Amino acid sequence: MTILVTGGAGYIGSHACLELLKAGYDVAVADNLSNSKEESLQRVQELAGRSLIFHRTDLLDRPGLDAIFSAHAIHTVIHFAGLKAVGESVAFPLRYYHNNITGTLMLCEAMQAHAVKNIIFSSSATVSGDPERVPIREDAKLGPPNPYGRSKLMLEEILR
């Protein structure tokens, strides 16, 4: 079973890849390396004693996504890819909305075209804004104060 990890070269994504490889899954990674380095994936493979397949692809590249789905029998997508700096999202809100929302929509379109129905989405605690209490519960009020958080909340709704 092949798992596609978007943003797999990033901090959380690379740790997920390591655990997936150790659990016996085949792993394909799609990452444009805008917030990460390919060396992290080399280290993951060394630690796991197994290989993964890396595709340097941006989620805004629909033909690139289709090529990945055509090359592998993807069962599930774990979606970590996206811009993630709160301050930068305030300075460049359109960039964040375009990248995070449009990229995820393109990913979903590619999944649909290739009959992949399973996705695990990495959201963010920032969707709750300033929480009333911690730990933040699933039923906490939502109200992200920045474009990054709002993009994550919009994607939660779209995926719902």
Side-chain angles (χ1 to χ4, degrees):
M1 177 182 317
T2 300
I3 309 294
L4 173 63
V5 181
T6 69
Y11 181 78
I12 297 172
S14 63
H15 283 74
C17 289
L18 176 59
E19 294 305 316
L20 289 165
L21 288 170
K22 286 171 37 180
Y25 292 98
D26 293 325
V27 175
V29 170
D31 200 306
N32 67 7
L33 301 179
S34 68
N35 290 316
S36 57
K37 296 192 183 305
E38 192 173 350
E39 290 84 359
S40 66
L41 296 175
Q42 297 302 323
R43 184 72 177 133
V44 163
Q45 293 174 95
E46 290 168 11
L47 290 169
R50 296 188 56 220
S51 296
L52 55 74
I53 299 168
F54 173 62
H55 298 273
R56 185 172 183 169
T57 304
D58 193 294
L59 296 187
L60 296 170
D61 175 8
R62 178 59 195 274
L65 289 174
D66 283 328
I68 293 169
F69 281 93
S70 295
H72 309 284
I74 305 292
H75 180 270
T76 300
V77 173
I78 302 178
H79 181 32
F80 295 113
L83 297 175
K84 63 184 185 329
V86 169
E88 184 181 70
S89 79
V90 173
F92 305 103
L94 292 179
R95 179 175 179 228
Y96 270 69
Y97 290 127
H98 178 69
N99 184 83
N100 293 356
I101 295 171
T102 306
T104 300
L105 290 174
M106 290 185 140
L107 174 64
C108 290
E109 288 171 356
M111 290 174 65
Q112 184 177 43
H114 296 272
V116 177
K117 298 181 180 184
N118 303 306
I119 185 168
I120 298 167
F121 174 63
S122 177
S123 189
S124 172
T126 195
V127 300
S128 297
D130 188 17
E132 296 171 351
R133 64 178 183 253
V134 290
I136 302 169
R137 296 171 35 105
E138 286 291 321
D139 60 355
K141 282 196 261 178
L142 302 176
N146 55 67
Y148 165 68
R150 286 192 291 274
S151 75
K152 288 293 194 171
L153 184 58
M154 288 178 202
L155 288 170
E156 285 184 18
E157 183 60 30
I158 288 166
L159 292 171
R160 234 186 307 288

